[in-house]
Amino acid sequence: MHRLETGDVITFREVSGMDFVNGKQFEVTVESPYAFSIGDTRGPQYETYLTGGIATQIKLPRRISFESLESQLRTPSILPTDLQKMETAADLHLGFLALAKFREQFERMPNIRCANDAAKVIHLAGILNLTMKEPLAELNTALLQQLSFSAQGSFPPLACALGGVVAQEGLKAVTGKFSPLMQWLYLDSSEITTLLKDEEPSSYMPRGDRYDGLRACVGDTACERLASAHIFMVGCGAIGCEMLKNYALLGLGINGLISITDHDLIEKSNLNRQFLFRSQHIQKPKSVVAAFAAQEINPSVKITAQQMKVGPQTEQMYSDQFFSKQDIVINALDNVETRRYMDSRCVTNQKPLLDSGTLGAKGHIQVIVPHLTESYVSQQDPVEHDIPYCTVKSFPAVTEHTIQWARDKFESAFMMKPMIYNKFWSSHGSPESVIQKLKDGKNLENLSLLVKTVANQPTTWSSCCYLARRKFEKYFNHKARNLLHAFPLDTRLKDGTLFWQSPKRPPIPLLFDSKNSLHREFVAVTARLLAEVYNVKMNNQDLLPEKMEKVISEVEIASWQPSFKTIETDESVKRPDPSTTCIDDLQTVILLLEQAVQTGRLKSDVSSLKPVVFEKDSETNGHIDYIFTASNLRAVMYNIDAADRLKTKRIAGRIVPAIATTTAAVAGLASIELVKVLLQAPLETYKNCFLNLALPAFVYSEPAACSKTELSDGVYVTLWDRWEVKGHPDFTLSEFLQTVLAKHKLSVAMVVHGVKMVYVPVMPGHKKRLTQLMIKLIKVPPVQTYVDLTVSLEDTLGNEIAGPPIRYFFK
């Protein structure tokens, strides 16, 4: 799928045959999601197309003209956001103009809940409407009245969301990147006012505290509801920080409790988008620092911060009892797996869930409310595909492949292999005991890796440089020659097509050049990391170019010999487990180890290696330097565009693109929905949202209602339904089945607890279980009072149907 639109501009490269198109720009016409046209290519300059070619979209600068403010006041170009409230933006435009006129006339804003002032605002809006180029047929007086009532107020989440948009527009003006807003945008949360229509005017009046602005918008009853809320938020990263800021400004949990958890520590790369953190907080727990910062914003907020990872392993801490105390659960996560887990916990415990996320300028908000909406897993997430092993190892096609290869090499050479080496000796003891085990015919796990490590282990700085230089030859010369030896350039597949055609790119063996800075830097940083792993002393003077060149010039490089290893080309094959590699010639291994012991390279108390854990945020540890040089050398070898250091760091560090403006907008809109949930709003008032501040675009939609499944005549269930059966210590399986039949008119065909089959009639011996006690069939800790059972039901015709979970109480 090309994802282009008609009018987009592309350029070609690496087209064989029709060389004229390479480097030229063409405007496309989309034919289908998988095909597009660049126009007539029958001219004499267009030779016959042979093979290959890569098309890349080009973002060309575009000149945009804006109308003046004077003109736009009468003929506003308003960005539509909510298709269910198409006229609202136009009414708000008139409303804000009327507020400006009111302030001009009376030198103040309308008083809170003042009907006379509201009438004046509506009157002014009516007069202004007549001056519009396209007047509204009818004003929304209720909306204008609420606008007047709350003109002196402040609703923090709405201000936060709009602030994110405004900040992004400011960045666009400075950088010229992304498309600017054309020309008005109105965001509102007017649905909340419909939930508060029965409030007394006195409820909105100032009390002389920090919540007077909020109180003017939502009233005292809503403020008290927010204050007494119990909330559980998972994740304290970019969105989590913004959420906590909103909660502090809303006074959320000052009489209740905000529970937060995040198992991560603060990294340097977090600081540009997780604004509650500062440089002095690096390597401190995110949750603890975020809680402290939020309490600095509002000291009255009660927050308990934990560093636990949510999942099955922490269900004793985040138990059903814990969830039962929460009014709402907030996802501030960056991965699908934990989102799905939290969704399942909320469905089990029938708790509302707010999910949100960002990716660059894009963001989403999803509201999940028990018995009203579908859940997170009701919609299928896109499958996340890993890069095929053979692509990374032998056939890279894009920069991401070369960076992934370099990251894999780093992990293997400097972390995994040293860890396996250390574990081998801690498991098997001294070299003498290992040699004896081998003489007894035992083939020890990871023996192949041990042998290579012992044979190549550097002991001096010079030997680190020698090994690094040989790695250059292995990675960027011999590997390429082996590929071309196995698959010459004229190799053809069974169907007659060339093997080396897009996306496969034939490698070019690199010849080491000590004058080439990229070549030299790879050897230097590799030698430095090897010295760290093998505890070899060195200093910065050793890395000076003239010293490195002298050492490297002394390295003897073995001439290339063809390798007869099988080169994997099947994209479905997974990465092999190195621990499963076997060595056939144990006598050679024994001899090598005995020689190492005799020469002192292996001592009875084997020195541990120092595994290097990848750290992307340090500018001095050489980790990004290694991946930058290695990936770009591989890119040169395969004629792939090189990556700059920033891109290398982002991909190798698996940094999810995040912009503080998008995070602010998403957190603000999500917090508006949180207020609705706490006020127990009906389905039609909730808003899911997808936004893209780069365009900009906002797409609101009503959450999909949970679907109903008919189990039998008149018996319907949704994903939120859960049946309950109250038992007692002497309750038998037969009584359990009879209770379900009597209560729901459906027979139970199968009962499962977790992974245990409690009752499956067709299985041997299971019918004898009918007289057994439930408490013995389902063994649980004495403190546990209930279990959730999965059941399969049968209707009157004998058809098997999936039933809702049944919560069985032992007492």
Side-chain angles (χ1 to χ4, degrees):
M1 187 178 294
H2 52 68
R3 294 186 176 85
L4 296 171
E5 296 180 3
T6 296
D8 286 344
V9 177
I10 63 169
T11 184
F12 290 99
R13 59 188 173 92
E14 300 182 24
V15 175
S16 178
M18 196 181 289
D19 295 343
F20 176 78
V21 301
N22 288 324
K24 302 291 191 303
Q25 295 181 4
F26 297 89
E27 189 173 298
V28 305
T29 301
V30 173
E31 306 288 345
S32 75
Y34 302 94
F36 59 85
S37 168
I38 60 170
D40 192 349
T41 56
R42 292 176 293 182
Q45 68 272 38
Y46 296 102
E47 298 178 7
T48 303
Y49 170 77
L50 294 178
T51 185
I54 297 173
T56 306
Q57 183 181 2
I58 299 176
K59 298 287 188 179
L60 297 177
R62 189 160 56 99
R63 190 172 189 84
I64 297 176
S65 299
F66 295 88
E67 293 186 9
S68 66
L69 176 61
E70 182 181 13
S71 171
Q72 277 287 303
L73 288 174
R74 291 185 61 250
T75 57
S77 301
I78 302 175
L79 178 71
T81 56
D82 191 342
L83 299 180
Q84 294 177 317
K85 302 189 300 184
M86 289 297 292
E87 298 296 329
T88 298
D91 281 298
L92 287 173
H93 183 75
L94 287 170
F96 277 101
L97 294 179
L99 286 176
K101 284 290 184 184
F102 184 98
R103 184 168 186 173
E104 183 181 327
Q105 287 184 18
F106 301 101
E107 297 183 347
R108 64 177 176 84
M109 294 300 282
N111 288 324
I112 299 171
R113 311 305 291 184
C114 178
N116 288 335
D117 284 356
K120 292 172 184 176
V121 170
I122 294 170
H123 176 70
L124 289 171
I127 295 173
L128 290 166
N129 187 38
L130 298 177
T131 67
M132 295 289 122
K133 188 173 181 180
E134 297 180 3
L136 294 177
E138 184 179 358
L139 294 181
N140 186 340
T141 56
L143 179 66
L144 294 174
Q145 184 186 55
Q146 291 298 329
L147 184 64
S148 175
F149 284 170
S150 59
Q152 291 191 27
S154 173
F155 191 42
L158 189 57
C160 179
L162 196 58
V165 178
V166 172
Q168 186 64 61
E169 292 303 310
L171 289 172
K172 293 176 186 178
V174 173
T175 63
K177 188 175 183 180
F178 301 145
S179 301
L181 173 65
M182 298 294 292
Q183 285 190 240
W184 297 86
L185 171 68
Y186 287 97
L187 297 178
D188 73 279
S189 52
S190 55
E191 297 85 9
I192 291 179
T193 62
T194 63
L195 307 175
L196 307 168
K197 57 186 177 181
D198 297 329
E199 284 287 292
E200 293 294 328
S202 60
S203 174
Y204 296 86
M205 295 306 164
R207 304 284 194 274
D209 59 24
R210 65 179 295 160
Y211 307 111
D212 280 347
L214 174 64
R215 188 176 287 109
C217 296
V218 301
D220 202 49
T221 303
C223 287
E224 291 176 359
R225 181 69 191 93
L226 296 174
S228 62
H230 286 73
I231 295 171
F232 179 39
M233 186 174 77
V234 185
C236 298
I239 291 180
C241 284
E242 283 287 345
M243 292 285 197
L244 281 175
K245 177 196 74 176
N246 278 280
Y247 300 163
L249 295 174
L250 286 168
L252 214 63
I254 60 175
N255 297 323
L257 182 65
I258 300 175
S259 301
I260 60 175
T261 186
D262 193 314
H263 68 284
D264 277 347
L265 301 180
I266 298 166
E267 299 179 358
K268 185 177 180 181
S269 60
N270 299 150
L271 302 184
N272 69 336
R273 61 192 185 279
Q274 299 176 17
F275 80 107
L276 294 183
F277 307 145
R278 300 292 183 267
S279 55
Q280 65 266 28
H281 298 140
I282 291 173
Q283 289 305 301
K284 293 183 179 179
K286 285 185 177 181
S287 58
V288 174
V289 175
F292 178 79
Q295 287 171 327
E296 283 195 317
I297 297 173
N298 185 348
S300 300
V301 173
K302 296 176 183 175
I303 305 176
T304 176
Q306 295 163 339
Q307 296 90 55
M308 304 295 290
K309 189 174 184 179
V310 294
Q313 68 276 14
T314 55
E315 284 188 6
Q316 285 190 338
M317 172 169 285
Y318 304 120
S319 61
D320 291 350
Q321 185 180 6
F322 172 84
F323 273 88
S324 69
K325 297 176 182 178
Q326 309 307 319
D327 295 307
I328 187 171
V329 178
I330 313 296
N331 276 351
L333 296 162
D334 59 1
N335 68 88
V336 171
E337 181 183 356
T338 311
R339 281 186 166 101
R340 294 172 70 89
Y341 172 77
M342 290 303 299
D343 179 73
S344 70
R345 295 293 286 143
C346 287
V347 170
T348 298
N349 291 282
Q350 314 221 338
K351 293 296 176 182
L353 172 68
L354 268 181
D355 185 78
S356 56
T358 67
L359 183 65
K362 299 175 183 177
H364 82 272
I365 300 99
Q366 183 180 1
V367 189
I368 299 160
V369 184
H371 304 290
L372 291 183
T373 72
E374 63 184 11
S375 73
Y376 179 83
V377 298
S378 299
Q379 300 296 325
Q380 187 68 38
D381 287 303
V383 179
E384 297 179 357
H385 295 287
D386 291 331
I387 305 172
Y389 167 69
C390 69
T391 300
V392 174
K393 184 173 176 61
S394 304
F395 307 109
V398 293
T399 306
E400 286 76 7
H401 297 165
T402 64
I403 295 174
Q404 183 62 54
W405 174 85
R407 173 68 192 264
D408 289 349
K409 286 296 179 187
F410 181 98
E411 298 281 357
S412 173
F414 308 122
M415 187 179 77
M416 295 307 300
K417 288 181 180 178
M419 288 175 65
I420 293 172
Y421 179 87
N422 292 343
K423 184 179 178 181
F424 181 92
W425 290 115
S426 64
S427 300
H428 299 293
S430 66
E432 290 81 5
S433 65
V434 169
I435 292 171
Q436 186 58 50
K437 290 177 183 178
L438 295 177
K439 287 181 177 180
D440 293 340
K442 295 181 180 178
N443 195 351
L444 305 179
E445 189 179 37
N446 293 313
L447 187 61
S448 175
L449 185 146
L450 172 79
V451 170
K452 290 179 181 178
T453 304
V454 171
N456 299 314
Q457 185 169 355
T459 55
T460 64
W461 170 246
S462 296
S463 58
C464 289
C465 294
Y466 297 165
L467 184 55
R469 172 65 182 87
R470 293 187 184 110
K471 283 186 179 293
F472 179 98
E473 203 71 14
K474 175 183 176 182
Y475 293 160
F476 309 117
N477 184 285
H478 292 182
K479 289 284 187 182
R481 291 190 177 192
N482 285 332
L483 271 170
L484 295 174
H485 177 262
F487 306 105
L489 293 178
D490 58 356
T491 301
R492 292 186 178 273
L493 302 174
K494 291 180 180 179
D495 60 3
T497 58
L498 285 170
F499 178 84
W500 293 109
Q501 62 175 329
S502 183
K504 287 188 175 69
R505 311 166 73 87
I508 303 166
L510 301 186
L511 299 176
F512 182 79
D513 180 2
S514 61
K515 304 299 182 184
N516 186 308
S517 61
L518 195 61
H519 295 198
R520 191 175 61 248
E521 287 169 13
F522 170 81
V523 174
V525 72
T526 303
R528 176 186 164 190
L529 289 169
L530 287 169
E532 184 176 351
V533 168
Y534 289 98
N535 303 298
V536 174
K537 293 182 179 179
M538 54 84 62
N539 56 58
N540 291 335
Q541 295 295 316
D542 294 325
L543 295 171
L544 293 174
E546 55 272 18
K547 288 194 174 184
M548 286 296 303
E549 187 170 351
K550 182 178 182 303
V551 174
I552 293 171
S553 64
E554 299 171 356
V555 181
E556 293 183 6
I557 301 298
S559 60
W560 170 73
Q561 297 294 328
S563 170
F564 296 98
K565 289 183 179 179
T566 301
I567 297 175
E568 189 58 66
T569 60
D570 185 351
E571 294 188 355
S572 64
V573 173
K574 302 297 182 183
R575 183 187 305 275
D577 183 356
S579 66
T580 59
T581 306
C582 295
I583 294 181
D584 296 327
D585 191 357
L586 289 180
Q587 291 304 316
T588 302
V589 175
I590 293 169
L591 182 62
L592 185 147
L593 292 177
E594 287 178 337
Q595 290 176 348
V597 171
Q598 291 169 6
T599 58
R601 291 176 62 193
L602 272 181
K603 299 180 180 179
S604 296
D605 52 339
V606 180
S607 299
S608 295
L609 303 185
K610 180 184 175 184
V612 177
V613 179
F614 178 72
E615 171 50 61
K616 64 183 179 294
D617 289 323
S618 173
E619 297 297 327
T620 59
N621 62 12
H623 299 186
I624 293 296
D625 295 330
Y626 176 86
I627 294 174
F628 174 74
T629 55
S631 64
N632 281 340
L633 283 168
R634 191 165 174 84
V636 172
M637 176 174 147
Y638 281 93
N639 194 24
I640 296 171
D641 291 339
D644 59 30
R645 186 180 176 86
L646 190 61
K647 182 177 181 179
T648 302
K649 181 177 179 178
R650 177 175 62 81
I651 296 173
R654 301 182 177 102
I655 299 172
V656 178
I659 305 176
T661 51
T662 313
T663 306
V666 166
L669 295 175
S671 296
I672 292 172
E673 300 307 308
L674 177 142
V675 173
K676 295 177 187 177
V677 171
L678 293 178
L679 295 177
Q680 298 181 340
L683 176 63
E684 60 272 13
T685 61
Y686 293 110
K687 299 292 179 184
N688 287 346
C689 180
F690 170 80
L691 60 87
N692 187 338
L693 297 188
L695 301 178
F698 288 78
V699 181
Y700 285 103
S701 63
E702 182 181 306
C706 53
S707 59
K708 294 183 178 181
T709 302
E710 185 176 10
L711 298 183
S712 63
D713 292 340
V715 179
Y716 294 88
V717 294
T718 71
L719 65 94
W720 296 101
D721 283 308
R722 182 184 67 211
W723 293 348
E724 293 184 354
V725 173
K726 307 285 187 179
H728 51 75
D730 298 324
F731 208 69
T732 64
L733 174 61
S734 178
E735 288 178 295
F736 172 82
L737 304 181
Q738 290 299 321
T739 301
V740 175
L741 177 61
K743 194 172 182 179
H744 302 288
K745 312 303 180 190
L746 291 165
S747 300
V748 177
M750 182 173 64
V751 181
V752 178
H753 176 229
V755 296
K756 180 183 178 181
M757 298 288 187
V758 178
Y759 177 62
V760 183
V762 296
M763 292 185 68
H766 273 228
K767 288 189 176 181
K768 294 180 180 179
R769 295 183 175 183
L770 290 171
T771 57
Q772 294 184 28
L773 299 180
M774 290 289 286
I775 200 167
K776 291 187 176 180
L777 288 172
I778 308 169
K779 296 178 181 178
V780 295
V783 295
Q784 192 167 330
T785 59
Y786 63 83
V787 291
D788 289 326
L789 303 174
T790 302
V791 298
S792 180
L793 306 172
E794 278 187 2
D795 60 17
T796 53
L797 300 176
N799 298 317
E800 193 167 314
I801 49 179
I806 296 179
R807 178 160 289 184
Y808 172 71
F809 292 86
F810 293 102
K811 299 178 183 178

